[in-house]
Amino acid sequence: MISFLYSASVQGIDACLIDVEIDISSGLPVFSIVGLPDTSVKESRDRVVSAIKNSGFDFPTKKITVNLAPADIKKEGGAFDLPISLGILASSGIIEKKSLQNFCAIGELSLDGKLRPVKGILPIVLSLHKFGITQVIVPEKNKNEACVAKDIEIYPFTDLKDVIQFLKKETVVEPYKQDSISFQNGSTKTSIDFSDIKGQLFAKRAAEVACAGGHNMIMVGPPGSGKTMIAKRIPTILPSMSFEESVETTKIWSVSGLVPAGESLITDRPFRSPHHTTSSVALIGGGSYPKPGEVSLAHNGVLFLDELTEFRRDVLEVLRQPLEDKIVTVSRAKNTLSFPASFMLIASMNPCPCGNYGSDKECTCNPYQVKRYRSKISGPLMDRIDIQVEVPALKIDEITSTQTVTNETSQQIKERVIKARNIQYERFKGKNIYCNAQMGPKEIKKYCVLEEKAGLMLHNAIEKLGFSARAYDRILKVARTIADLAGSQIIQQNHIAEAIKYRNLDKYN
Ligand SMILES: Nc1ncnc2c1ncn2[C@@H]1O[C@H](COP(=O)(O)OP(=O)(O)OP(=O)(O)O)[C@@H](O)[C@H]1O
Ligand SMILES: [Mg+2]
Ligand SMILES: [Zn+2]
């Protein structure tokens, strides 16, 4: 007897519908699964047999064939355990075949019949609507993530046994609804705040400018000066995520199995800080079952590369493409998948190999070593970093100062950032540009209008300090942001002066 139900499989950050067909016929007892890779088949078979038996049902000693179609879609993981088990029970007459027909079922089973959560529930439930499916059975632990999809009825269960009782109509289960789907804009739960940072007014201001214009930033300073501390607090001064941004980011986290248990949506902007030994695949994504990399996990948030000079050059090279395109494309044999990767890059490095260059402590490096160290990250990557800022060691009295109350809070800074962002939003409406950092040559020409004195100052700076043409564009973009923070239409002399200060590393290249 043949039975039939739906399941789904993640593809990138979308999902496709999988038809699960189960045929039980008389013949030698064989249990075969078609359409899954070999290793998954064996594992799934073993779990399904044990789960059915341990839930108190007989496992049919007949010829069982399971087909997961389409066969050419690469499927992964145990999410088909539940639909396969339900199909077997329907084909052997334990549950009615037609009770299954409207459902999509997803879930991995443990040997005792418990339903385990699976990765990628959010993209799956969000795509069911377009397949005309309105009811889905999911593991209990996935229920909050699943119920973000408003138009789908979610039936969460902890045990295979409970699912069977429900389908046999022995129990009544109402679809799960979360009363207040916890999307509170800006409901940041983190306890870190900009007011924790003593001194470093220049670096803090640079961070504000970076956030206001969406500029990438690198901080250069000796060990312990607070670079990591500043970087970690950057998400707290960025505008809160919109609902759409939150759903996009959560889809990526869902596919990676990183949505915290019990949560529905990621509402705080991500802060990702991969170690410098990370591989290019871990950073950018990919693999035989393509997974999002750190650049995508940082989507709509911050990617922090601490100790930038320690990263392998080839690893840093792969960053160029997502920095440019804001998306990572992974080509497979038959199709291409893409993962969004729109992030703000924040990097840090020491000023020299020993770390003490420019500080009160003695630097043991010679000028050649310092130059070579700094040039490690020159070139195409540096070209995409608008703001370069020095973070010197704190002075003794700054360290011992207890006047943290006078420090500005993240909220205060964030309000200015939002104001400046709103100006940019209006400026670039309909242009597919959202912030000053994304301006191309045409926009720079149109929107970076300098007052006369400012133009003169920039001219002089280029002549005296030897900035390149690229640095010139960057100074203009950053000056545009500084003017926006000041609510000024035209770029004034003091805006240019400040922007020039953020080209610290150019001196060494
Ligand atoms: N400006 C500061 N205000 C308050 N505390 C600070 C400041 N700078 C450093 N600290 C203290 O020093 C510790 C180290 O700072 P942090 O890790 O940010 O330094 P870093 O510049 O990233 O150093 P490294 O180059 O070694 O990575 C912090 O955890 C904090 O306790
Ligand atoms: Mg650090
Ligand atoms: Zn040194």
Side-chain angles (χ1 to χ4, degrees):
M1 191 156 69
I2 295 184
S3 62
F4 175 86
L5 74 160
Y6 292 113
S7 192
S9 174
V10 173
Q11 296 284 296
I13 55 158
D14 282 309
C16 54
L17 200 62
I18 302 292
D19 296 336
V20 184
E21 298 170 295
I22 296 95
D23 181 28
I24 301 191
S25 57
S26 49
L28 284 176
V30 211
F31 177 13
S32 59
I33 304 178
V34 190
L36 266 187
D38 293 346
T39 45
S40 307
V41 168
K42 184 170 175 345
E43 290 168 9
S44 184
R45 225 167 27 196
D46 293 349
R47 286 191 302 263
V48 165
V49 173
S50 294
I52 289 183
K53 285 185 180 161
N54 291 326
S55 301
F57 300 95
D58 289 333
F59 192 83
T61 45
K62 290 184 174 171
K63 181 172 188 292
I64 303 172
T65 312
V66 176
N67 183 28
L68 302 173
D72 59 353
I73 286 180
K74 227 174 168 186
K75 309 169 198 77
E76 187 200 13
F80 303 107
D81 293 354
L82 177 66
I84 291 173
S85 304
L86 294 176
I88 290 174
L89 292 166
S91 282
S92 55
I94 291 167
I95 48 184
E96 252 187 84
K97 278 206 291 186
K98 72 170 194 301
S99 71
L100 292 178
Q101 71 196 13
N102 296 322
F103 282 102
C104 176
I106 297 143
E108 183 173 319
L109 288 169
S110 63
L111 300 182
D112 60 356
K114 289 233 163 7
L115 271 170
R116 289 218 170 108
V118 298
K119 292 178 185 174
I121 277 288
L122 182 62
I124 289 175
V125 290
L126 287 176
S127 64
L128 287 181
H129 193 71
K130 70 171 183 250
F131 304 124
I133 290 178
T134 54
Q135 298 176 308
V136 61
I137 297 174
V138 299
E140 163 82 16
K141 286 196 173 131
N142 284 130
K143 70 178 179 188
N144 285 336
E145 204 182 310
C147 73
V148 172
K150 287 278 184 297
D151 41 8
I152 305 287
E153 290 182 355
I154 312 291
Y155 294 91
F157 292 96
T158 46
D159 264 290
L160 175 62
K161 228 183 330 191
D162 300 341
V163 184
I164 296 166
Q165 281 178 346
F166 164 67
L167 291 171
K168 288 172 87 172
K169 304 207 165 53
E170 292 171 3
T171 51
V172 177
V173 177
E174 290 298 321
Y176 176 71
K177 291 247 168 350
Q178 208 184 49
D179 299 336
S180 57
I181 166 109
S182 62
F183 187 77
Q184 288 165 336
N185 210 318
S187 65
T188 170
K189 294 162 229 96
T190 51
S191 55
I192 55 172
D193 196 279
F194 255 77
S195 59
D196 306 334
I197 304 164
K198 296 177 184 169
Q200 305 301 12
L201 294 183
F202 182 58
K204 283 197 263 188
R205 167 69 182 175
E208 174 179 338
V209 175
C211 291
H215 304 285
N216 299 321
M217 174 169 96
I218 183 163
M219 292 178 280
V220 187
S225 58
K227 303 182 294 294
T228 303
M229 223 180 154
I230 294 171
K232 284 195 173 142
R233 283 157 183 76
I234 283 184
T236 67
I237 59 168
L238 283 167
S240 307
M241 285 208 275
S242 67
F243 181 75
E244 287 71 26
E245 282 180 313
S246 176
V247 169
E248 256 189 14
T249 299
T250 310
K251 275 164 93 175
I252 299 166
W253 283 51
S254 171
V255 170
S256 309
L258 289 176
V259 178
E263 300 269 321
S264 302
L265 286 171
I266 306 287
T267 51
D268 288 342
R269 289 194 185 271
F271 178 84
R272 300 294 298 181
S273 162
H275 192 253
H276 59 247
T277 54
T278 198
S279 69
S280 44
V281 170
L283 192 62
I284 201 106
S288 62
Y289 292 102
K291 294 266 182 309
E294 289 293 338
V295 294
S296 296
L297 292 169
H299 181 58
N300 291 324
V302 170
L303 179 72
F304 177 44
L305 301 184
D306 207 357
E307 322 289 355
L308 190 67
T309 46
E310 301 291 319
F311 283 78
R312 285 200 344 238
R313 215 170 222 276
D314 59 313
V315 171
L316 292 180
E317 278 300 292
V318 298
L319 270 179
R320 285 162 57 184
Q321 188 260 329
L323 275 172
E324 205 62 31
D325 304 335
K326 317 236 162 273
I327 195 160
V328 173
T329 309
V330 186
S331 290
R332 293 287 97 205
K334 285 210 168 112
N335 53 357
T336 45
L337 299 174
S338 51
F339 298 108
S342 174
F343 57 89
M344 203 174 145
L345 176 68
I346 304 293
S348 86
M349 63 182 269
N350 289 341
C352 67
C354 85
N356 292 332
Y357 184 90
S359 76
D360 295 343
K361 291 187 194 146
E362 194 196 346
C363 168
T364 55
C365 320
N366 64 42
Y368 171 72
Q369 284 173 314
V370 175
K371 194 171 159 60
R372 205 181 58 164
Y373 180 80
R374 296 199 173 199
S375 66
K376 263 192 190 177
I377 41 139
S378 65
L381 179 63
M382 270 326 266
D383 275 351
R384 289 165 177 84
I385 302 181
D386 292 349
I387 296 184
Q388 309 162 348
V389 62
E390 212 147 2
V391 187
L394 282 185
K395 304 259 177 320
I396 300 278
D397 45 346
E398 283 177 315
I399 299 172
T400 51
S401 121
T402 48
Q403 289 191 325
T404 42
V405 273
T406 59
N407 285 345
E408 268 194 309
T409 63
S410 292
Q411 188 56 35
Q412 287 170 307
I413 304 171
K414 183 173 169 172
E415 275 160 25
R416 292 196 297 268
V417 168
I418 291 173
K419 245 192 203 155
R421 285 267 180 152
N422 287 343
I423 295 173
Q424 295 162 56
Y425 185 75
E426 288 301 319
R427 171 182 302 142
F428 302 123
K429 227 175 197 168
K431 285 198 166 68
N432 208 11
I433 292 180
Y434 302 94
C435 54
N436 291 333
Q438 295 169 352
M439 284 192 285
K442 217 170 71 204
E443 289 81 24
I444 293 179
K445 198 161 172 216
K446 180 160 178 203
Y447 299 112
C448 297
V449 183
L450 307 183
E451 68 166 16
E452 202 186 323
K453 275 190 290 183
L456 223 59
M457 176 180 237
L458 184 53
H459 188 91
N460 282 341
I462 288 173
E463 218 168 51
K464 294 215 177 88
L465 303 174
F467 287 123
S468 66
R470 284 196 214 101
Y472 177 78
D473 275 3
R474 269 150 228 280
I475 290 170
L476 283 179
K477 286 198 220 180
V478 173
R480 178 66 268 162
T481 302
I482 295 166
D484 287 341
L485 277 165
S488 171
Q489 278 267 354
I490 194 156
I491 297 175
Q492 296 167 357
Q493 194 181 12
N494 56 330
H495 306 147
I496 284 287
E498 186 180 346
I500 289 172
K501 287 195 220 152
Y502 300 138
R503 299 305 302 175
N504 190 340
L505 283 177
D506 287 344
K507 292 180 276 188
Y508 302 90
N509 290 335

